[in-house]
Amino acid sequence: MYKKLKVFLVLSVVSIAGCTTSNNASSMPASPQPQSVDYNKKLEILDRLENHDTTLSRMTEILAIEWHHLFTQKNEEDLLNTYFYLTWNLHPEEKERVKKELSTTHKELATYLDMQKKGILPAKEVHVKNIMAERNPDDDGYLVKACYLLTLNDGSSKEVWVELNADDNMETFNPRFDTLDIGESLPEPKNEQEELRREFILRALDYNVINKMTYDEILEMIDMKPVDTK
């Protein structure tokens, strides 16, 4: 689900494909000129398979399915690593930035770390009690609220509320989440072909999309179409 992992997985597939192509190149005559890539066909596959979720549905999914794992981690290291994963902060420099912003951007994490030091966490059981959403006061996104019912190790119960804003713009989403725009590192397109290539790259960097593809569609995406040897 998370962008950093999606990017890593897709780029790994492309890298493997590149190595395979390089190994075969020594036994094949050089092509007189590079073949034009049909990005329209690739984009047709993405039109059929890609997710059309919103920032609201994405944040609701995170709070409903993922966030409760933070309350059951057995030690500080596991709690930190789970938070890094949930908020897409996977690189070392991103992890260090999170630790430096506990009193500002990542106040929830600071609270959970304190609860763990006091022995309140890890919880024995966690249940999602309620999730609701409303437009935020600035009308530029949704405020998503979730209530979790924790059963503690001493048998007592505790409610924990989480309120996270989901910006209407998927690229900004929420300051707790690292949503670096992959397109920033791509050159500006100079023609229609380069524009299609850019659109393809930005839309294809999604593991949930790749996961739905057939084998032949994956080969089409990485320009490794089956060759008829008959």
Side-chain angles (χ1 to χ4, degrees), residues 68-207:
H68 66 88
H69 293 302
L70 294 169
F71 304 118
T72 57
Q73 300 309 306
K74 61 183 180 181
N75 54 49
E76 180 178 314
E77 181 180 3
D78 289 347
L79 174 55
L80 285 170
N81 287 331
T82 300
Y83 186 84
F84 296 148
Y85 176 81
L86 291 183
T87 58
W88 315 330
N89 291 282
L90 301 179
H91 293 174
E93 63 272 18
E94 295 163 357
K95 295 178 180 180
E96 290 304 313
R97 185 175 66 246
V98 169
K99 293 178 182 179
K100 294 177 181 178
E101 296 177 349
L102 289 177
S103 63
T104 54
T105 304
H106 304 279
K107 292 181 179 180
E108 294 85 6
L109 176 59
T111 299
Y112 305 157
L113 288 170
D114 185 59
M115 291 171 66
Q116 195 170 69
K117 289 179 180 178
K118 293 178 179 178
I120 300 174
L121 296 180
K124 188 176 181 180
E125 294 180 1
V126 181
H127 298 283
V128 182
K129 187 175 180 181
N130 190 18
I131 293 182
M132 62 188 77
E134 60 187 21
R135 292 295 291 179
N136 63 30
D138 296 328
D139 198 31
D140 59 1
Y142 287 88
L143 181 62
V144 187
K145 304 177 183 180
C147 180
Y148 301 92
L149 180 62
L150 279 57
T151 301
L152 307 183
N153 287 315
D154 62 3
S156 62
S157 299
K158 181 179 180 62
E159 284 189 358
V160 176
W161 280 88
V162 180
E163 297 184 2
L164 298 179
N165 192 71
D167 196 307
D168 284 334
N169 185 342
M170 187 68 81
E171 291 303 327
T172 53
F173 191 58
N174 183 291
R176 297 161 184 79
F177 295 78
D178 184 16
T179 55
L180 176 65
D181 186 2
I182 301 302
E184 291 178 357
S185 60
L186 296 175
E188 286 298 319
K190 298 178 181 178
N191 52 51
E192 183 179 359
Q193 180 75 353
E194 290 186 3
E195 181 68 43
L196 289 172
R197 174 178 177 272
R198 180 188 178 93
E199 180 183 355
F200 162 68
I201 291 174
L202 294 178
R203 291 174 59 187
L205 296 178
D206 189 330
Y207 172 70

